[in-house]
Amino acid sequence: MQVGVTLEETAVLVGWRKRSDNHALVRMKTEAILYASEGVGIGIIAKMVERAERTVQEWLADWQATRMCSVLTGHAGNQNAAKLTRDQKQEL
């Protein structure tokens, strides 16, 4: 599945991929999108980012639907699944 990426999008994605302070999921998604834009197969991309082929297909479908918004999902630093609230963690 090949996806289209503009030059501007490529520059931003490469920047996100190189930043060590970005969440690992953001870096993996950017790599997958960049590989797909170069025509690399889903199976190879899945191996490179260590995710299931179905996951990579979903990432690429999301990319085609919402472009840059699909990469930054908001899961990084998410506190929703934590057992303690932020205030409780601060008390500890």
Side-chain angles (χ1 to χ4, degrees), residues 29-59:
K29 284 183 176 185
T30 59
E31 286 183 31
I33 293 163
L34 290 169
Y35 288 139
S37 73
E38 295 294 325
V40 177
I42 297 286
I44 294 170
I45 296 171
K47 287 179 186 175
M48 297 295 290
V49 297
E50 298 178 338
R51 291 293 183 263
E53 288 184 29
R54 180 72 186 137
T55 300
V56 173
Q57 289 172 337
E58 289 172 4
W59 290 350

Side-chain angles (χ1 to χ4, degrees), residues 4-92:
V5 179
T6 66
L7 291 175
E8 294 84 11
E9 290 169 332
T10 299
V12 172
L13 291 171
V14 168
W16 286 349
R17 185 183 68 195
K18 289 181 178 180
R19 288 184 57 171
S20 61
D21 62 335
N22 270 339
H23 192 264
L25 182 61
V26 172
R27 289 193 307 269
M28 284 188 279
K29 284 183 176 185
T30 59
E31 286 183 31
I33 293 163
L34 290 169
Y35 288 139
S37 73
E38 295 294 325
V40 177
I42 297 286
I44 294 170
I45 296 171
K47 287 179 186 175
M48 297 295 290
V49 297
E50 298 178 338
R51 291 293 183 263
E53 288 184 29
R54 180 72 186 137
T55 300
V56 173
Q57 289 172 337
E58 289 172 4
W59 290 350
L60 298 179
D62 289 347
W63 170 259
Q64 291 180 319
T66 61
R67 310 302 287 181
M68 300 301 274
C69 293
S70 69
V71 179
L72 301 175
T73 60
H75 293 286
N78 186 356
Q79 296 290 315
N80 291 339
K83 302 221 185 248
L84 299 175
T85 66
R86 279 194 185 125
D87 292 337
Q88 290 171 327
K89 286 180 183 180
Q90 290 293 348
E91 289 176 19
L92 293 174

